[in-house]
Amino acid sequence: MRRTRSDTSHADGLVHAYADLILRLSYTYLASTHDAEDICQNVLIKLLKREAPFESAEHERAWVIRATANACKDVLRSGWRRTTVELEAAPEPTAPEPPDSPVLEAVMGLPEAYRAALYLHYYEGYTAREIAAMTESTEDAVAARLSRGRKKLRATLEGADDGQGL
C-alpha cells in the first residue's frame, strides 16, 4: 500500500495533537520514559489504524486517554515487569578475587576440557555424572578428562617444584 501525502499529514497531525498527552499520561503510570515512549507509539499506531470514525474531537481525545491508560495498565500487570528491576537498581556485579594459589594457577593453565572438569569436580564439588550432564558429554569422557587433567597437573606442579618452571 502506497502512502499518500494526506496520510502522512494526517499522521503528523495526530502525533502533534496527542504525542505529548500520551507521553505525560504514560509516564505518570509507569515512571519510565522508555516505557512511556513505547506506549505512545503503540497508541498512535492504534489510532491511525482505527477505521471507525469518532463522534467529535472530544470523543477522539477521550479514546486516546482511555487507550493510553489501558495500555499502561497492561504493562503494569505483565509478569515481566513484576519480575525485573531497573538496570540502575541492580547491584553492580563484582568479580571474585582470584585466590593466590599455585595449584589453581596450574589448573587454569590446562586446556579447557581438563580445566573445566577439574574445576567443577574439585572446586565446586560436582560428581562426574553431574559434570557429564552439564557439559553434555558422557560420564566416561568426564572421568577420562579428570584422569588426564590430574596427570597434566601433576607434571606441571612437579616441574615447578624442580625449579624448571611451567
Side-chain angles (χ1 to χ4, degrees):
M1 181 170 112
R2 190 170 157 98
R3 295 240 175 233
T4 64
R5 191 159 189 64
S6 66
D7 288 342
T8 304
S9 64
H10 177 66
D12 289 342
L14 291 175
V15 168
H16 182 69
Y18 296 115
D20 191 49
L21 167 69
I22 297 169
L23 283 171
R24 285 184 287 130
L25 182 58
S26 299
Y27 187 80
T28 60
Y29 272 95
L30 305 173
S32 166
T33 303
H34 299 293
D35 289 340
E37 290 169 347
D38 289 343
I39 296 292
C40 182
Q41 181 177 346
N42 293 339
V43 170
L44 287 171
I45 289 171
K46 282 182 187 178
L47 182 59
L48 282 170
K49 290 183 176 182
R50 182 180 160 93
E51 294 181 12
F54 291 103
E55 296 170 8
S56 65
E58 292 82 25
H59 180 230
E60 185 178 59
R61 184 176 174 86
W63 183 92
V64 167
I65 291 170
R66 177 58 32 214
T68 301
N70 288 341
C72 291
K73 290 174 185 177
D74 289 345
V75 168
L76 291 170
R77 278 193 298 262
S78 75
W80 179 84
R81 184 161 176 102
R82 287 192 305 263
T83 59
T84 59
V85 295
E86 294 285 329
L87 185 58
E88 293 80 26
E92 192 67 34
T94 57
E97 289 293 322
D100 189 26
S101 165
V103 175
L104 183 58
E105 285 181 33
V107 168
M108 294 312 212
L110 294 173
E112 192 275 328
Y114 303 133
R115 178 177 62 230
L118 288 171
Y119 182 82
L120 290 171
H121 183 69
Y122 290 104
Y123 287 91
E124 298 297 328
Y126 290 107
T127 65
R129 175 173 285 146
E130 293 169 327
I131 296 169
M134 284 187 266
T135 60
E136 297 178 348
S137 59
T138 65
E139 199 172 335
D140 291 337
V142 171
R145 288 183 198 132
L146 286 169
S147 176
R148 291 178 189 145
R150 282 190 292 262
K151 279 184 187 176
K152 287 184 176 285
L153 186 61
R154 190 175 303 115
T156 301
L157 291 173
E158 286 173 356
D161 287 342
D162 295 340
Q164 296 172 2
L166 297 176

